[in-house]
Amino acid sequence: MKEKIEEKLDELLELLDQEPKIVAYQEKKKALLHHPDFLEKMKQFKSLDTYTKEYQSLKKELFQNPDFREYKQLENEIDLFLLEMNQRFQVFVKKGERSCELSVENIKEEK
């Protein structure tokens, strides 16, 4: 039984790896990571206090980049999809256990 579940989960992960939104998300991420100026802005953005004007200004600047906007939109859609999957899988997991939880990071790590 456990082997069958693992086999089905492997099939599911393969399907997820081929999901167009996940593929597009990974491509956008790679494209953004190949821009040194973007990486520098992200590093600066993450280090700022969220209540500063500099933070707000940099956030606005980042979201003016259409690739970044699409990346964030895809990220949100994937997160919502995975949240829905996690809720469905809760039927198979005892209350309080989190071993079956999926995330965008888990999918990326599987590759």
Side-chain angles (χ1 to χ4, degrees):
M1 175 76 166
K2 183 178 177 182
E3 293 163 357
K4 181 116 175 143
I5 292 172
E6 288 175 2
E7 181 182 317
K8 292 297 181 184
L9 283 174
D10 287 340
E11 289 174 19
L12 175 63
L13 289 173
E14 285 179 34
L15 288 172
L16 288 173
D17 284 341
Q18 298 168 11
E19 170 63 35
K21 286 184 181 182
I22 292 175
V23 171
Y25 170 83
Q26 291 171 337
E27 289 172 358
K28 285 292 175 192
K29 182 177 180 179
K30 281 182 188 176
L32 290 169
L33 292 175
H34 282 85
H35 293 286
D37 57 327
F38 177 79
L39 290 175
E40 187 60 37
K41 286 179 185 178
M42 283 302 296
K43 184 186 274 188
Q44 181 183 5
F45 179 72
K46 290 182 178 185
S47 69
L48 294 172
D49 181 0
T50 58
Y51 298 105
T52 63
K53 288 183 181 182
E54 186 180 8
Y55 176 90
Q56 296 299 323
S57 174
L58 190 53
K59 183 176 181 178
K60 187 176 183 178
E61 184 180 338
L62 287 169
F63 274 93
Q64 287 175 347
N65 179 332
D67 288 333
F68 182 71
R69 273 197 319 267
E70 186 177 347
Y71 166 79
K72 292 304 281 181
Q73 182 177 350
L74 287 166
E75 183 178 57
N76 288 337
E77 290 174 15
I78 291 168
D79 284 345
L80 289 173
F81 172 73
L82 293 174
L83 178 64
E84 181 182 337
M85 287 182 64
N86 282 335
Q87 290 172 342
R88 289 182 180 189
F89 281 130
Q90 290 304 313
V91 173
F92 303 109
V93 179
K94 291 180 186 175
K95 195 168 189 161
E97 290 183 23
R98 297 175 58 100
S99 61
C100 195
E101 193 168 298
L102 295 175
S103 71
V104 173
E105 296 303 318
N106 289 345
I107 291 170
K108 288 185 280 188
E109 290 173 5
E110 290 292 322
K111 281 194 159 186

